[in-house]
Every structure is written in structure tokens, then in C-alpha cells.
Amino acid sequence: MTDWLALLSWVPLLAGAFFFLAGTVGLLRFPDIYSRLHAITKADTLGLGLVTLGLIMRAENWQAVAVMVLIWLLMMGSGATTCQLLARYQQDLEAPDADKEPVHARR
Amino acid sequence: MPDAEWLFDGTLGILLLVLAGAALHARSLYAAVVMFIALGLMLALTWARLGAPDLALAEAAIGAGVTGALLFSTLYKAGMDRHKRATPNRIALLLPGLAFLLLLTAAWPLPEMHSPLPDQVMAHLKDSGVSHPVTAVLLNFRAWDTLLEVSVVLIALLGVRQLYPSHGEVPTPWPLMLAWGRLLAPLTVIVGGYLLWRGTDAPGGAFQAGTVLAAGGVALRLIGVLPPLGWHQWPVRLLVLAGVLVFVAVAALTAWLGQGWLHYPTGSSKVLILLIELMATASIATTLTLLVVGEKRELRP
């Protein structure tokens, strides 16, 4: 592994850390569930993606890279799905008859 | 960089204590459950930092995952806001204090103490049939403990069956949930199978694999792909009992024909361990799935 690559990897790592921090602040400070979801999914997708990119630059071998990319893809998928589910659940609570799509049971 | 490690471990330790306190003293039970799940994840991270990946995997899957799901489903069945906080009495406080002191005296000399056990395990690892010391201890040297653990899981299910109301109707899932569940379930089979197979020479094993499979089972049940599952169906009953049955059968056969209770004959240890692990995984997966989304219907005599 070359030194300049390790040095360069600090850029995405720090950017990723920034997005995580911003996402957390957003989660704590934003007024309603939709904007909070917006904030936290940015941390999940972009933050984790940048951290993964930084770690890939420091990876020892290709297997490690493949595993990290897989984890990132899974996290993106689960983040996007959970975000949608939470948002729809909230929408359902606010206006139960707004749409006629099959909706989750009221809890 | 030892400084960065100290910073990380220190933060982790403090976070653990804060989360434990928050789980005990949260305003609502819902918040307490969320804190408990976060505590489980941090605990998994702590085990990983301590160099115990087996425990980390088990804690993440069982402590944070399944227990969290169970607590949430209990909360839902019992009613979100109908709860009374018990005031702790003196004697109840005395007990954890005593336990804490006992644990402290056990843990205090750990850094200096050299236990002879790891060397003994490594010396006999060749004969155990597996190459991962944790699996060798759990399924060969101390297989008796694991047999009891598998039985505990079974007894827990039987106990819960007597108490809990049936899981309500599963609501019609959103298309998104359906698609994601269908994507996740095969992945849990791959990951679970990997954990089970790797258990012979690396961290992993029946409990971790079973829990991951159970997560897939619960997801499939919640999106309506799996039919309602319950004790009244004989395949489900068989799967739940398979682990204990096979384990006890192996134990009885080794006692009867071999050298003693759970003393595997040399040469066939690996096959026996794999068989027990496979059946235990199936049992644990089914049991945990039933605990979270099981139907309660009585057997017809």
C-alpha cells in the first residue's frame, strides 16, 4: 500500500465523519420526523459510503474491499427501506384515510 | 497509537454505563427498550474489542436483535402505556450489589492471573474434531453445558406458550417491505449457513446461525410469505425438538455404547459435532421465530 493513498484516504474519512456528525445533529435538532429521517439517512448512506471509500483506500486485499462494499450496499438498502417504512407509518398516523394503498395496521 | 485506543475503549465503557442507566431509568418503557438494544450493540462492540468475536456475534444477534424484537412485541401485546414502575426495595438492591462484589473479586486478578485452561484446551484441540477452541469447548469438552442451554431455550418456549396471547393478524405488507423481505431472507440463509459452517474453525456456531435464520423467518412471516406458524403443526414441533432430541440421543448412545456421557468416539467427533450443531441451529431458529411471531392454538387430542 502506498503512503500517498493512505494520506488521501483521510479526505473521504473526515468527510464521512462530518456527515455522520451532521446527521446526528439533524436527528436531534430537526422538528418533525420527515426532516429527521432526511438527516439520518444522509448519515447512513453518504457518511457510511465515504467512510467505506476511505477504508477501501487502506484495504490490504480485494476480499476486504468486496466485504466492505457489500456491507455498504446492505446498509443503504436497509436504510432506504426503513426510512420509507417509518415515513409511511407516520403519514398513516397523521392522515389515516389519505391514500387507499394497503396500509400498515394501526398500532 | 495506544492513546486513540484508550480514548475509544474509555468512550465505549462510559457509553455502556450511561446506556445501562438509561435503559433502567428511561421515562417510557418504549425508550427503555430502545436503550436496551443500543446497550446490546455497544456490548457486542465491547466483546469484539476484548478479542471475543464469538461472544460479540452472539450478543449482537441474540442480546440486541432477538431480545429487542421480543421486548417490542411484548410491549405491543401488553399495551404501550399501561405500566407501573415498581419501586425497588432494599433487599432487591442488596442482591445485585452482592453479585457485583462477587464478580469484582473474580475479575480483579484477571490481568495478572494465568489460567491453565487455555493451554489445556489447546493441548487437546487435535482430538476434539474441530479447530476452533471455542467450538471445541462448547460442543466437546463442555458439551453438557450446551445441551442444557439448548434445553433452556426449549423450556422458555414452552413457558411462553402457556402465557402469551396469540400474535395478532399480520397486516397487509407494503410492496416495499415485501420486496426487501424477499431480498433479506435468502441473505439470512447464506449468512446463517456461513456462521454455522465456519463455527468449526472460526467464530460462529449454532446460536448465532440460528438467530440469523430466525430473523429471516420473522421477516418472511411478517410479509406474509410464510403461513402462520405454531406449535399445533407437527413439522414445527419436530424442528423445535430436533436439537434437544439429537443431542440427548448422541449423549445416550455415547453413554451406552461408548466411553461415557457425551464422550465422542475418536474419529467421528467432527461428524457428531456438525450433526448436533445443524439440528441445534434448526431448533434455535424455529424456536426464536415462534417466540416472536408464533401462533397460539391448542393441540386437538
Side-chain angles (χ1 to χ4, degrees):
Chain A
M1 196 187 58
T2 41
D3 278 342
W4 61 269
L5 206 56
L7 214 59
L8 198 68
S9 72
W10 279 111
V11 179
L13 281 179
L14 285 176
F18 167 76
F19 271 102
F20 267 111
L21 199 67
T24 311
V25 171
L27 181 70
L28 291 173
R29 305 296 301 174
F30 279 167
D32 64 87
I33 190 163
Y34 302 113
S35 10
R36 278 187 226 145
L37 279 173
H38 167 80
I40 196 67
T41 43
K42 289 302 153 298
D44 258 9
T45 45
L46 207 55
L48 189 69
L50 284 166
V51 169
T52 311
L53 185 70
L55 290 177
I56 282 174
M57 289 177 171
R58 291 160 169 246
E60 304 275 332
N61 49 37
W62 282 105
Q63 285 96 319
V65 173
V67 168
M68 280 191 272
V69 170
L70 261 180
I71 291 173
W72 177 53
L73 285 176
L74 258 182
M75 283 297 294
M76 270 215 296
S78 85
T81 313
T82 334
C83 168
Q84 284 285 326
L85 291 179
L86 284 172
R88 281 187 200 203
Y89 179 56
Q90 175 71 17
Q91 198 180 25
D92 205 35
L93 281 182
E94 283 168 5
D97 300 317
D99 54 353
K100 285 295 165 221
E101 268 188 293
V103 288
H104 217 68
R106 321 268 178 278
R107 291 208 166 165
Chain B
M1 275 199 298
D3 292 345
E5 283 187 4
W6 268 104
L7 194 66
F8 186 80
D9 292 345
T11 315
L12 200 57
I14 293 168
L15 209 57
L16 270 180
L17 288 176
V18 170
L19 282 172
L24 285 175
H25 300 289
R27 256 171 301 166
S28 70
L29 279 179
Y30 179 83
V33 173
V34 173
M35 290 301 159
F36 182 79
I37 294 173
L39 173 73
L41 287 173
M42 289 302 130
L43 206 55
L45 210 56
T46 312
W47 283 122
R49 285 291 300 160
L50 287 171
D54 286 272
L55 276 172
L57 280 170
E59 176 60 41
I62 302 169
V66 173
T67 314
L70 277 176
L71 286 173
F72 269 131
S73 83
T74 310
L75 204 56
Y76 166 56
K77 282 170 193 159
M80 273 305 191
D81 34 34
R82 193 163 47 80
H83 72 276
K84 233 184 336 191
R85 190 175 289 284
T87 44
N89 67 26
R90 298 260 164 76
I91 304 162
L93 277 175
L94 204 70
L95 211 60
L98 211 67
F100 178 75
L101 276 180
L102 270 173
L103 285 174
L104 197 68
T105 50
W108 199 251
L110 264 187
E112 297 100 59
M113 195 172 66
H114 288 290
S115 167
L117 286 175
D119 296 330
Q120 280 179 23
V121 169
M122 291 323 262
H124 293 96
L125 195 57
K126 273 203 314 299
D127 315 322
S128 68
V130 289
S131 54
H132 185 51
V134 176
T135 311
V137 171
L138 286 182
L139 280 140
N140 197 336
F141 307 144
R142 302 285 305 179
W144 179 233
D145 293 9
T146 311
L147 172 57
L148 289 181
E149 273 171 27
V150 176
S151 317
V152 164
V153 176
L154 175 65
I155 293 167
L157 177 70
L158 295 180
V160 168
R161 238 182 69 74
Q162 306 302 319
L163 297 172
Y164 82 135
S166 188
H167 192 80
E169 279 289 293
V170 174
T172 323
W174 287 317
L176 183 73
M177 179 77 189
L178 203 65
W180 184 239
R182 283 197 168 140
L183 189 72
L184 271 188
L187 274 175
T188 62
V189 175
I190 295 175
V191 174
Y194 176 80
L195 281 174
L196 176 64
W197 184 250
R198 285 289 282 172
T200 54
D201 57 3
F207 273 88
Q208 294 93 331
T211 315
V212 172
L213 281 177
V218 169
L220 283 182
R221 176 68 201 112
L222 285 181
I223 62 174
V225 171
L226 280 182
L229 298 168
W231 186 253
H232 58 282
Q233 294 146 327
W234 70 263
V236 172
R237 262 198 321 276
L238 191 66
L239 273 175
V240 167
L241 292 172
V244 174
L245 284 180
V246 168
F247 219 145
V248 170
V250 168
L253 282 175
T254 48
W256 184 27
L257 302 170
Q259 290 166 299
W261 192 252
L262 284 171
H263 198 294
Y264 309 135
T266 34
S268 55
S269 307
K270 173 143 187 174
V271 179
L272 284 177
I273 288 177
L274 262 182
L275 180 74
I276 292 171
E277 285 243 68
L278 208 66
M279 291 300 145
T281 306
S283 283
I284 290 162
T286 322
T287 308
L288 294 178
T289 310
L290 278 188
L291 279 175
V292 182
V293 291
E295 292 278 308
K296 186 178 181 180
R297 201 183 302 169
E298 290 309 323
L299 286 170
R300 293 233 172 75

PDB file of all heavy atoms in Angstrom, chain B residues 178-211:
ATOM      1  N   LEU B 178     -42.334  -5.954   1.265  1.00  0.00           N
ATOM      2  CA  LEU B 178     -42.381  -7.273   0.629  1.00  0.00           C
ATOM      3  C   LEU B 178     -41.089  -7.523  -0.152  1.00  0.00           C
ATOM      4  O   LEU B 178     -40.441  -8.560  -0.013  1.00  0.00           O
ATOM      5  CB  LEU B 178     -43.586  -7.312  -0.308  1.00  0.00           C
ATOM      6  CG  LEU B 178     -44.162  -8.660  -0.669  1.00  0.00           C
ATOM      7  CD1 LEU B 178     -44.728  -9.332   0.547  1.00  0.00           C
ATOM      8  CD2 LEU B 178     -45.238  -8.490  -1.720  1.00  0.00           C
ATOM      9  N   ALA B 179     -40.714  -6.531  -0.964  1.00  0.00           N
ATOM     10  CA  ALA B 179     -39.519  -6.684  -1.795  1.00  0.00           C
ATOM     11  C   ALA B 179     -38.275  -6.823  -0.923  1.00  0.00           C
ATOM     12  O   ALA B 179     -37.429  -7.689  -1.154  1.00  0.00           O
ATOM     13  CB  ALA B 179     -39.382  -5.484  -2.729  1.00  0.00           C
ATOM     14  N   TRP B 180     -38.186  -5.989   0.099  1.00  0.00           N
ATOM     15  CA  TRP B 180     -36.994  -6.014   0.956  1.00  0.00           C
ATOM     16  C   TRP B 180     -36.916  -7.315   1.739  1.00  0.00           C
ATOM     17  O   TRP B 180     -35.839  -7.908   1.883  1.00  0.00           O
ATOM     18  CB  TRP B 180     -37.023  -4.801   1.881  1.00  0.00           C
ATOM     19  CG  TRP B 180     -35.816  -4.658   2.746  1.00  0.00           C
ATOM     20  CD1 TRP B 180     -35.797  -4.635   4.098  1.00  0.00           C
ATOM     21  CD2 TRP B 180     -34.448  -4.511   2.326  1.00  0.00           C
ATOM     22  NE1 TRP B 180     -34.512  -4.494   4.548  1.00  0.00           N
ATOM     23  CE2 TRP B 180     -33.674  -4.415   3.482  1.00  0.00           C
ATOM     24  CE3 TRP B 180     -33.825  -4.462   1.084  1.00  0.00           C
ATOM     25  CZ2 TRP B 180     -32.293  -4.270   3.438  1.00  0.00           C
ATOM     26  CZ3 TRP B 180     -32.440  -4.324   1.040  1.00  0.00           C
ATOM     27  CH2 TRP B 180     -31.694  -4.231   2.208  1.00  0.00           C
ATOM     28  N   GLY B 181     -38.057  -7.776   2.241  1.00  0.00           N
ATOM     29  CA  GLY B 181     -38.070  -9.034   2.979  1.00  0.00           C
ATOM     30  C   GLY B 181     -37.652 -10.198   2.097  1.00  0.00           C
ATOM     31  O   GLY B 181     -36.912 -11.086   2.523  1.00  0.00           O
ATOM     32  N   ARG B 182     -38.108 -10.169   0.847  1.00  0.00           N
ATOM     33  CA  ARG B 182     -37.752 -11.249  -0.070  1.00  0.00           C
ATOM     34  C   ARG B 182     -36.276 -11.222  -0.415  1.00  0.00           C
ATOM     35  O   ARG B 182     -35.686 -12.244  -0.749  1.00  0.00           O
ATOM     36  CB  ARG B 182     -38.572 -11.135  -1.354  1.00  0.00           C
ATOM     37  CG  ARG B 182     -39.967 -11.609  -1.148  1.00  0.00           C
ATOM     38  CD  ARG B 182     -40.633 -11.880  -2.465  1.00  0.00           C
ATOM     39  NE  ARG B 182     -41.869 -12.609  -2.247  1.00  0.00           N
ATOM     40  CZ  ARG B 182     -42.982 -12.373  -2.907  1.00  0.00           C
ATOM     41  NH1 ARG B 182     -43.008 -11.448  -3.825  1.00  0.00           N
ATOM     42  NH2 ARG B 182     -44.065 -13.076  -2.653  1.00  0.00           N
ATOM     43  N   LEU B 183     -35.691 -10.027  -0.354  1.00  0.00           N
ATOM     44  CA  LEU B 183     -34.255  -9.916  -0.621  1.00  0.00           C
ATOM     45  C   LEU B 183     -33.454 -10.358   0.610  1.00  0.00           C
ATOM     46  O   LEU B 183     -32.418 -11.010   0.506  1.00  0.00           O
ATOM     47  CB  LEU B 183     -33.924  -8.462  -0.974  1.00  0.00           C
ATOM     48  CG  LEU B 183     -32.518  -8.192  -1.491  1.00  0.00           C
ATOM     49  CD1 LEU B 183     -32.368  -8.747  -2.887  1.00  0.00           C
ATOM     50  CD2 LEU B 183     -32.241  -6.707  -1.482  1.00  0.00           C
ATOM     51  N   LEU B 184     -33.970  -9.993   1.794  1.00  0.00           N
ATOM     52  CA  LEU B 184     -33.227 -10.257   3.026  1.00  0.00           C
ATOM     53  C   LEU B 184     -33.223 -11.732   3.394  1.00  0.00           C
ATOM     54  O   LEU B 184     -32.216 -12.253   3.871  1.00  0.00           O
ATOM     55  CB  LEU B 184     -33.842  -9.468   4.187  1.00  0.00           C
ATOM     56  CG  LEU B 184     -33.332  -8.069   4.442  1.00  0.00           C
ATOM     57  CD1 LEU B 184     -33.919  -7.546   5.734  1.00  0.00           C
ATOM     58  CD2 LEU B 184     -31.815  -8.040   4.531  1.00  0.00           C
ATOM     59  N   ALA B 185     -34.368 -12.399   3.205  1.00  0.00           N
ATOM     60  CA  ALA B 185     -34.491 -13.771   3.701  1.00  0.00           C
ATOM     61  C   ALA B 185     -33.432 -14.715   3.127  1.00  0.00           C
ATOM     62  O   ALA B 185     -32.793 -15.443   3.889  1.00  0.00           O
ATOM     63  CB  ALA B 185     -35.894 -14.289   3.438  1.00  0.00           C
ATOM     64  N   PRO B 186     -33.205 -14.701   1.787  1.00  0.00           N
ATOM     65  CA  PRO B 186     -32.132 -15.570   1.287  1.00  0.00           C
ATOM     66  C   PRO B 186     -30.760 -15.195   1.846  1.00  0.00           C
ATOM     67  O   PRO B 186     -29.936 -16.070   2.097  1.00  0.00           O
ATOM     68  CB  PRO B 186     -32.156 -15.351  -0.232  1.00  0.00           C
ATOM     69  CG  PRO B 186     -33.393 -14.629  -0.536  1.00  0.00           C
ATOM     70  CD  PRO B 186     -33.887 -13.993   0.696  1.00  0.00           C
ATOM     71  N   LEU B 187     -30.572 -13.885   2.076  1.00  0.00           N
ATOM     72  CA  LEU B 187     -29.291 -13.450   2.652  1.00  0.00           C
ATOM     73  C   LEU B 187     -29.095 -14.033   4.050  1.00  0.00           C
ATOM     74  O   LEU B 187     -27.991 -14.433   4.408  1.00  0.00           O
ATOM     75  CB  LEU B 187     -29.248 -11.921   2.723  1.00  0.00           C
ATOM     76  CG  LEU B 187     -28.777 -11.211   1.468  1.00  0.00           C
ATOM     77  CD1 LEU B 187     -28.905  -9.716   1.639  1.00  0.00           C
ATOM     78  CD2 LEU B 187     -27.334 -11.566   1.181  1.00  0.00           C
ATOM     79  N   THR B 188     -30.180 -14.095   4.837  1.00  0.00           N
ATOM     80  CA  THR B 188     -30.038 -14.673   6.184  1.00  0.00           C
ATOM     81  C   THR B 188     -29.679 -16.146   6.093  1.00  0.00           C
ATOM     82  O   THR B 188     -28.947 -16.654   6.936  1.00  0.00           O
ATOM     83  CB  THR B 188     -31.318 -14.509   7.009  1.00  0.00           C
ATOM     84  OG1 THR B 188     -32.377 -15.206   6.361  1.00  0.00           O
ATOM     85  CG2 THR B 188     -31.688 -13.070   7.218  1.00  0.00           C
ATOM     86  N   VAL B 189     -30.181 -16.822   5.053  1.00  0.00           N
ATOM     87  CA  VAL B 189     -29.817 -18.238   4.893  1.00  0.00           C
ATOM     88  C   VAL B 189     -28.324 -18.356   4.593  1.00  0.00           C
ATOM     89  O   VAL B 189     -27.621 -19.195   5.175  1.00  0.00           O
ATOM     90  CB  VAL B 189     -30.649 -18.879   3.767  1.00  0.00           C
ATOM     91  CG1 VAL B 189     -30.183 -20.303   3.526  1.00  0.00           C
ATOM     92  CG2 VAL B 189     -32.122 -18.868   4.126  1.00  0.00           C
ATOM     93  N   ILE B 190     -27.823 -17.467   3.708  1.00  0.00           N
ATOM     94  CA  ILE B 190     -26.398 -17.520   3.373  1.00  0.00           C
ATOM     95  C   ILE B 190     -25.551 -17.213   4.607  1.00  0.00           C
ATOM     96  O   ILE B 190     -24.634 -17.960   4.958  1.00  0.00           O
ATOM     97  CB  ILE B 190     -26.072 -16.516   2.242  1.00  0.00           C
ATOM     98  CG1 ILE B 190     -26.788 -16.931   0.958  1.00  0.00           C
ATOM     99  CG2 ILE B 190     -24.577 -16.440   2.008  1.00  0.00           C
ATOM    100  CD1 ILE B 190     -26.623 -15.956  -0.170  1.00  0.00           C
ATOM    101  N   VAL B 191     -25.899 -16.108   5.291  1.00  0.00           N
ATOM    102  CA  VAL B 191     -25.098 -15.700   6.448  1.00  0.00           C
ATOM    103  C   VAL B 191     -25.197 -16.742   7.559  1.00  0.00           C
ATOM    104  O   VAL B 191     -24.193 -17.119   8.181  1.00  0.00           O
ATOM    105  CB  VAL B 191     -25.540 -14.305   6.949  1.00  0.00           C
ATOM    106  CG1 VAL B 191     -24.808 -13.940   8.224  1.00  0.00           C
ATOM    107  CG2 VAL B 191     -25.272 -13.261   5.891  1.00  0.00           C
ATOM    108  N   GLY B 192     -26.411 -17.243   7.799  1.00  0.00           N
ATOM    109  CA  GLY B 192     -26.592 -18.250   8.842  1.00  0.00           C
ATOM    110  C   GLY B 192     -25.817 -19.520   8.529  1.00  0.00           C
ATOM    111  O   GLY B 192     -25.124 -20.062   9.394  1.00  0.00           O
ATOM    112  N   GLY B 193     -25.907 -19.963   7.289  1.00  0.00           N
ATOM    113  CA  GLY B 193     -25.176 -21.166   6.901  1.00  0.00           C
ATOM    114  C   GLY B 193     -23.677 -20.973   7.027  1.00  0.00           C
ATOM    115  O   GLY B 193     -22.966 -21.855   7.502  1.00  0.00           O
ATOM    116  N   TYR B 194     -23.224 -19.783   6.651  1.00  0.00           N
ATOM    117  CA  TYR B 194     -21.801 -19.481   6.763  1.00  0.00           C
ATOM    118  C   TYR B 194     -21.344 -19.519   8.222  1.00  0.00           C
ATOM    119  O   TYR B 194     -20.342 -20.137   8.572  1.00  0.00           O
ATOM    120  CB  TYR B 194     -21.528 -18.103   6.150  1.00  0.00           C
ATOM    121  CG  TYR B 194     -20.113 -17.631   6.295  1.00  0.00           C
ATOM    122  CD1 TYR B 194     -19.118 -18.089   5.457  1.00  0.00           C
ATOM    123  CD2 TYR B 194     -19.773 -16.716   7.286  1.00  0.00           C
ATOM    124  CE1 TYR B 194     -17.819 -17.663   5.592  1.00  0.00           C
ATOM    125  CE2 TYR B 194     -18.470 -16.283   7.431  1.00  0.00           C
ATOM    126  CZ  TYR B 194     -17.496 -16.755   6.584  1.00  0.00           C
ATOM    127  OH  TYR B 194     -16.212 -16.332   6.732  1.00  0.00           O
ATOM    128  N   LEU B 195     -22.134 -18.864   9.096  1.00  0.00           N
ATOM    129  CA  LEU B 195     -21.778 -18.831  10.518  1.00  0.00           C
ATOM    130  C   LEU B 195     -21.720 -20.239  11.090  1.00  0.00           C
ATOM    131  O   LEU B 195     -20.840 -20.565  11.885  1.00  0.00           O
ATOM    132  CB  LEU B 195     -22.802 -18.010  11.296  1.00  0.00           C
ATOM    133  CG  LEU B 195     -22.673 -16.494  11.209  1.00  0.00           C
ATOM    134  CD1 LEU B 195     -23.843 -15.830  11.897  1.00  0.00           C
ATOM    135  CD2 LEU B 195     -21.373 -16.043  11.867  1.00  0.00           C
ATOM    136  N   LEU B 196     -22.668 -21.073  10.678  1.00  0.00           N
ATOM    137  CA  LEU B 196     -22.713 -22.444  11.190  1.00  0.00           C
ATOM    138  C   LEU B 196     -21.501 -23.234  10.717  1.00  0.00           C
ATOM    139  O   LEU B 196     -20.837 -23.907  11.502  1.00  0.00           O
ATOM    140  CB  LEU B 196     -24.007 -23.109  10.704  1.00  0.00           C
ATOM    141  CG  LEU B 196     -24.174 -24.577  11.068  1.00  0.00           C
ATOM    142  CD1 LEU B 196     -24.257 -24.727  12.563  1.00  0.00           C
ATOM    143  CD2 LEU B 196     -25.409 -25.144  10.412  1.00  0.00           C
ATOM    144  N   TRP B 197     -21.211 -23.126   9.418  1.00  0.00           N
ATOM    145  CA  TRP B 197     -20.122 -23.916   8.856  1.00  0.00           C
ATOM    146  C   TRP B 197     -18.777 -23.443   9.361  1.00  0.00           C
ATOM    147  O   TRP B 197     -17.899 -24.234   9.683  1.00  0.00           O
ATOM    148  CB  TRP B 197     -20.178 -23.844   7.323  1.00  0.00           C
ATOM    149  CG  TRP B 197     -19.161 -24.703   6.687  1.00  0.00           C
ATOM    150  CD1 TRP B 197     -18.060 -24.289   6.009  1.00  0.00           C
ATOM    151  CD2 TRP B 197     -19.112 -26.132   6.702  1.00  0.00           C
ATOM    152  NE1 TRP B 197     -17.337 -25.367   5.596  1.00  0.00           N
ATOM    153  CE2 TRP B 197     -17.963 -26.524   6.011  1.00  0.00           C
ATOM    154  CE3 TRP B 197     -19.933 -27.126   7.241  1.00  0.00           C
ATOM    155  CZ2 TRP B 197     -17.594 -27.844   5.838  1.00  0.00           C
ATOM    156  CZ3 TRP B 197     -19.574 -28.450   7.059  1.00  0.00           C
ATOM    157  CH2 TRP B 197     -18.426 -28.793   6.368  1.00  0.00           C
ATOM    158  N   ARG B 198     -18.613 -22.104   9.461  1.00  0.00           N
ATOM    159  CA  ARG B 198     -17.345 -21.548   9.924  1.00  0.00           C
ATOM    160  C   ARG B 198     -17.101 -21.862  11.396  1.00  0.00           C
ATOM    161  O   ARG B 198     -15.968 -21.800  11.860  1.00  0.00           O
ATOM    162  CB  ARG B 198     -17.338 -20.021   9.740  1.00  0.00           C
ATOM    163  CG  ARG B 198     -17.152 -19.594   8.323  1.00  0.00           C
ATOM    164  CD  ARG B 198     -15.763 -19.856   7.845  1.00  0.00           C
ATOM    165  NE  ARG B 198     -14.820 -18.869   8.316  1.00  0.00           N
ATOM    166  CZ  ARG B 198     -13.515 -18.967   8.155  1.00  0.00           C
ATOM    167  NH1 ARG B 198     -13.020 -20.004   7.560  1.00  0.00           N
ATOM    168  NH2 ARG B 198     -12.710 -18.028   8.601  1.00  0.00           N
ATOM    169  N   GLY B 199     -18.181 -22.202  12.111  1.00  0.00           N
ATOM    170  CA  GLY B 199     -18.063 -22.440  13.550  1.00  0.00           C
ATOM    171  C   GLY B 199     -17.031 -23.497  13.904  1.00  0.00           C
ATOM    172  O   GLY B 199     -16.506 -23.496  15.020  1.00  0.00           O
ATOM    173  N   THR B 200     -16.702 -24.400  12.960  1.00  0.00           N
ATOM    174  CA  THR B 200     -15.738 -25.438  13.312  1.00  0.00           C
ATOM    175  C   THR B 200     -14.316 -24.905  13.363  1.00  0.00           C
ATOM    176  O   THR B 200     -13.493 -25.442  14.076  1.00  0.00           O
ATOM    177  CB  THR B 200     -15.783 -26.593  12.284  1.00  0.00           C
ATOM    178  OG1 THR B 200     -15.610 -26.038  10.983  1.00  0.00           O
ATOM    179  CG2 THR B 200     -17.101 -27.324  12.355  1.00  0.00           C
ATOM    180  N   ASP B 201     -14.021 -23.855  12.600  1.00  0.00           N
ATOM    181  CA  ASP B 201     -12.646 -23.366  12.658  1.00  0.00           C
ATOM    182  C   ASP B 201     -12.526 -21.859  12.855  1.00  0.00           C
ATOM    183  O   ASP B 201     -11.436 -21.300  12.777  1.00  0.00           O
ATOM    184  CB  ASP B 201     -11.854 -23.795  11.411  1.00  0.00           C
ATOM    185  CG  ASP B 201     -12.497 -23.320  10.124  1.00  0.00           C
ATOM    186  OD1 ASP B 201     -13.514 -22.624  10.232  1.00  0.00           O
ATOM    187  OD2 ASP B 201     -11.978 -23.636   9.045  1.00  0.00           O
ATOM    188  N   ALA B 202     -13.638 -21.172  13.107  1.00  0.00           N
ATOM    189  CA  ALA B 202     -13.590 -19.727  13.324  1.00  0.00           C
ATOM    190  C   ALA B 202     -14.807 -19.342  14.159  1.00  0.00           C
ATOM    191  O   ALA B 202     -15.703 -20.162  14.368  1.00  0.00           O
ATOM    192  CB  ALA B 202     -13.599 -19.006  11.982  1.00  0.00           C
ATOM    193  N   PRO B 203     -14.859 -18.089  14.631  1.00  0.00           N
ATOM    194  CA  PRO B 203     -16.026 -17.679  15.413  1.00  0.00           C
ATOM    195  C   PRO B 203     -17.329 -17.915  14.661  1.00  0.00           C
ATOM    196  O   PRO B 203     -17.420 -17.667  13.457  1.00  0.00           O
ATOM    197  CB  PRO B 203     -15.792 -16.193  15.637  1.00  0.00           C
ATOM    198  CG  PRO B 203     -14.335 -16.044  15.598  1.00  0.00           C
ATOM    199  CD  PRO B 203     -13.838 -17.056  14.623  1.00  0.00           C
ATOM    200  N   GLY B 204     -18.317 -18.389  15.363  1.00  0.00           N
ATOM    201  CA  GLY B 204     -19.614 -18.697  14.753  1.00  0.00           C
ATOM    202  C   GLY B 204     -20.178 -19.899  15.476  1.00  0.00           C
ATOM    203  O   GLY B 204     -19.564 -20.408  16.406  1.00  0.00           O
ATOM    204  N   GLY B 205     -21.347 -20.349  15.055  1.00  0.00           N
ATOM    205  CA  GLY B 205     -21.900 -21.518  15.709  1.00  0.00           C
ATOM    206  C   GLY B 205     -23.403 -21.532  15.667  1.00  0.00           C
ATOM    207  O   GLY B 205     -24.028 -20.693  15.021  1.00  0.00           O
ATOM    208  N   ALA B 206     -23.958 -22.532  16.362  1.00  0.00           N
ATOM    209  CA  ALA B 206     -25.395 -22.794  16.260  1.00  0.00           C
ATOM    210  C   ALA B 206     -26.241 -21.615  16.731  1.00  0.00           C
ATOM    211  O   ALA B 206     -27.221 -21.252  16.077  1.00  0.00           O
ATOM    212  CB  ALA B 206     -25.740 -24.041  17.056  1.00  0.00           C
ATOM    213  N   PHE B 207     -25.878 -21.016  17.853  1.00  0.00           N
ATOM    214  CA  PHE B 207     -26.723 -19.953  18.401  1.00  0.00           C
ATOM    215  C   PHE B 207     -26.750 -18.737  17.477  1.00  0.00           C
ATOM    216  O   PHE B 207     -27.812 -18.199  17.170  1.00  0.00           O
ATOM    217  CB  PHE B 207     -26.247 -19.551  19.797  1.00  0.00           C
ATOM    218  CG  PHE B 207     -26.857 -20.391  20.874  1.00  0.00           C
ATOM    219  CD1 PHE B 207     -26.257 -21.562  21.266  1.00  0.00           C
ATOM    220  CD2 PHE B 207     -28.052 -20.034  21.460  1.00  0.00           C
ATOM    221  CE1 PHE B 207     -26.825 -22.366  22.242  1.00  0.00           C
ATOM    222  CE2 PHE B 207     -28.633 -20.820  22.431  1.00  0.00           C
ATOM    223  CZ  PHE B 207     -28.022 -21.987  22.829  1.00  0.00           C
ATOM    224  N   GLN B 208     -25.564 -18.338  16.997  1.00  0.00           N
ATOM    225  CA  GLN B 208     -25.507 -17.189  16.098  1.00  0.00           C
ATOM    226  C   GLN B 208     -26.231 -17.484  14.791  1.00  0.00           C
ATOM    227  O   GLN B 208     -27.044 -16.688  14.321  1.00  0.00           O
ATOM    228  CB  GLN B 208     -24.047 -16.824  15.796  1.00  0.00           C
ATOM    229  CG  GLN B 208     -23.263 -16.312  16.979  1.00  0.00           C
ATOM    230  CD  GLN B 208     -22.521 -17.407  17.700  1.00  0.00           C
ATOM    231  OE1 GLN B 208     -22.935 -18.562  17.702  1.00  0.00           O
ATOM    232  NE2 GLN B 208     -21.416 -17.053  18.338  1.00  0.00           N
ATOM    233  N   ALA B 209     -25.951 -18.659  14.218  1.00  0.00           N
ATOM    234  CA  ALA B 209     -26.566 -19.016  12.936  1.00  0.00           C
ATOM    235  C   ALA B 209     -28.079 -19.124  13.091  1.00  0.00           C
ATOM    236  O   ALA B 209     -28.841 -18.615  12.255  1.00  0.00           O
ATOM    237  CB  ALA B 209     -25.991 -20.332  12.439  1.00  0.00           C
ATOM    238  N   GLY B 210     -28.524 -19.769  14.181  1.00  0.00           N
ATOM    239  CA  GLY B 210     -29.956 -19.933  14.407  1.00  0.00           C
ATOM    240  C   GLY B 210     -30.661 -18.599  14.537  1.00  0.00           C
ATOM    241  O   GLY B 210     -31.772 -18.410  14.019  1.00  0.00           O
ATOM    242  N   THR B 211     -30.007 -17.649  15.219  1.00  0.00           N
ATOM    243  CA  THR B 211     -30.629 -16.347  15.397  1.00  0.00           C
ATOM    244  C   THR B 211     -30.772 -15.609  14.076  1.00  0.00           C
ATOM    245  O   THR B 211     -31.808 -15.000  13.797  1.00  0.00           O
ATOM    246  CB  THR B 211     -29.796 -15.501  16.366  1.00  0.00           C
ATOM    247  OG1 THR B 211     -29.438 -16.313  17.464  1.00  0.00           O
ATOM    248  CG2 THR B 211     -30.565 -14.310  16.845  1.00  0.00           C
TER     249      THR B 211
END
